[in-house]
Amino acid sequence: MGLKTSGSNLRVDGEALWADLMETARFGGTPKGGVKRLTLTAEDRQVRDWFVKTCEELGCTVSCDSMGNLFARRPGLDDSLPPITMGSHLDTQPTGGKFDGILGVLGGLAVLRALREAGHVTRHPIELINWTNEEGSRFTPPMMCSGVFAGIFTEQEVLDKRDRAGLRFGDELEAIGYRGGEVCGQHPIAAYFELHIEQGPILEAEELTIGAVAGVQGMRWYEVTVRGRDAHAGSTPMPLRHDALLASAHMIAALAEVARAHAPAVGTVGLIENRPNSNNVVPGETFFTVDIRHPEDHVVAAMEAAFQERFRAIAETGGVDVEIVPIWDAPAVHFDPACVAMVTDAAREAGFAPRSIVSGPGHDAAYVARVAPTAMIFVPCKDGLSHNEEESITQADAQAGANVLLGAILRADAAF
Amino acid sequence: MGLKTSGSNLRVDGEALWADLMETARFGGTPKGGVKRLTLTAEDRQVRDWFVKTCEELGCTVSCDSMGNLFARRPGLDDSLPPITMGSHLDTQPTGGKFDGILGVLGGLAVLRALREAGHVTRHPIELINWTNEEGSRFTPPMMCSGVFAGIFTEQEVLDKRDRAGLRFGDELEAIGYRGGEVCGQHPIAAYFELHIEQGPILEAEELTIGAVAGVQGMRWYEVTVRGRDAHAGSTPMPLRHDALLASAHMIAALAEVARAHAPAVGTVGLIENRPNSNNVVPGETFFTVDIRHPEDHVVAAMEAAFQERFRAIAETGGVDVEIVPIWDAPAVHFDPACVAMVTDAAREAGFAPRSIVSGPGHDAAYVARVAPTAMIFVPCKDGLSHNEEESITQADAQAGANVLLGAILRADAAF
């Protein structure tokens, strides 16, 4: 019977998927070919309206929860079963691209279209989700409403967030007409799959098409302040200096060594401020951030110990003080092995060698994984570039990713 | 006869000198105890008016040249001889102290007072000079009007300089009433001595009172741009990065090594800008300055070759491009050995062990040295701190410096 098919005869329509990507890119489209579609703006409302209309045209009913998360539901044979779900986000960075998040939603739409066009009836209902405010650039933090869904944040704290103009999240959500009645987090989910661009260079470098995402790296952030003493660059002999920037330079180099020693870890100083920052003054103080990540939390902890020891030794040698303040600790996420296997199998069936990969960036899937079996699919993006108007993928890779998503959904429908 | 005395019986009045320092600190005095007396402002006019009045009360006649440089002249036995001169500057940094430059002028005033009170008649006229705009913070570059005096800059180019508010140097000089008739540079000088605070930590560290300044270090400045590639801090493996800040960190460390290998050289990165400077983005570009100094020009040249080679190797290893642009080359200045010996002798006579020292900062004396035999005297300042409202010296050191200045002036009067 049809229910037991692997769906190996089903394929998404790559042309239609690409047309959807290009069409939605008009909502907030920028002259440089990017998208500026901040959450809860007029542009966000436009793309949501388009999403609702398009899903309804495909025979779905769309519901909205109290955080504006949208659920487009295609009925299954047994509507008492929790839905097999897929999705991502339609909001973008201020100078974002056409694919980050959007591919996961429109790829899901392509899956719904393929099911409809094949007349394929699933056992579970299938739902496509658009999560509110994944980017976190208008209202911080990121992944805000999948976070409420998973119980990471309370609804009230998020409703009370304000943007830099002082506007309140809850008011802006009401204003665009997407504050729904269903309490966020009460929507049942049997499994969740998210298709996303890699936002990194690995698949491209290895000339591979599909990443089967095993989880999200554990990540810790720190703020480091180095205090030395301002001094005249001409009159202060090297041995008498307390050069905060020179000590920081050694710390930055040490952090990279620590990361390389814990491969595949990454360690980054992305932001630095130097004071007084004058070309003839030996710097008296620096402030910089440290970002360390590794798929396993115990390695992140070991890296933390290692870089802190190195930093303290460098400070001692350099005659400066160092203060290291932990500001964020996001434990590693391990996706559901069964769901990851469904992605892997679906990729192989579609003719791709799946590359096991651990996500560096966070995603809505990282929070959803706390409340439902979850996995992700990555496809390459040009030069690993994302959060950038030049973000670029190929139509073939978009189609491949959506086909793997379809295969995973059908496997989950059979398995759960 | 009196003319042949070494003047070893003459001493400055340290109390009066200190009182002068405290009195002039009122013109532009700040709540934190510093001085804000930018060149050609109302405060500069106030201190100039005070200077003219005080010098005239000591029997001097004051002339002003076309750049506002002031010459207070005490007649000698033979007024056809060019004057033995001393001086410095009365302008300050925006958050300056009470002593940088000012000590050299008021120390000279203390010398004039000592000569007058002792009834000591010199062979040459003795002149005390206040140079206009040594600091260069309102109108750049620094040492502007001793620079015109020495033929480094033309009068017209300096008159046409504008401050950040668009005000023209020439107009502002007229406005405070200190554009004199004598063409700048035509004032004869037999010898020039400048007393100054060290603005560095050496004398304090060695518990010495008098620096006999042998010259000013050669100095070169560069602007360095490192170009890598922005990348996501979470998703970009260490081996695939082109991290401009990490490469810059290695360059900063390398510059310090090059400086230490050429001791007593100094090498400084005082200013750095990092782009995009976001905590989860691998930096794609940095801009920083390099300042290298050594008493001998050939060593500065060797340092330049060494650091450039190191930077290029680091760029190669780090997968980034580096561009190094020379922006300033100030050759080393060697003061007149006879004048330096007069300082050394005067220090010993006054009971101090003179410490031979090479100035890191530039001074008016560095330009005057091009047109007249010149030397400088340094006294310690607390923690080597200068260009800072907390700049601090002791009354005893101020007095010591002025006494050595007096001794040097009398020696020059005998020798030239």
Side-chain angles (χ1 to χ4, degrees), chain B residues 389-406:
Chain B
E389 291 173 278
E390 292 178 36
E391 196 179 81
S392 174
I393 68 173
T394 67
Q395 180 176 330
D397 288 345
Q399 181 173 0
N403 273 322
V404 174
L405 178 62
L406 171 58

Side-chain angles (χ1 to χ4, degrees), chain A residues 199-202 217 221 232-236 240-241 245 249-250 266-272 274 277-279 281 283 289 293 360-361, chain B residues 199-201 217 221 232-237 241 245 249 253 265-272 274 277-279 281 283 289 293 360-361:
Chain A
Q199 301 181 286
I202 296 172
Q217 297 185 17
W221 281 6
H232 196 292
S235 58
T236 314
L240 297 182
R241 295 182 174 202
L245 181 60
H250 285 291
V266 288
T268 307
V269 175
L271 181 150
I272 186 166
N274 180 51
N277 214 35
S278 172
N279 49 8
V281 180
T289 58
R293 311 192 198 200
Chain B
Q199 301 182 285
Q217 297 185 15
W221 280 8
H232 195 294
S235 58
T236 314
R241 295 183 173 201
L245 181 59
V266 288
T268 307
V269 176
L271 181 150
I272 186 167
N274 180 51
N277 215 33
S278 172
N279 49 9
V281 180
T289 58
R293 310 192 198 200

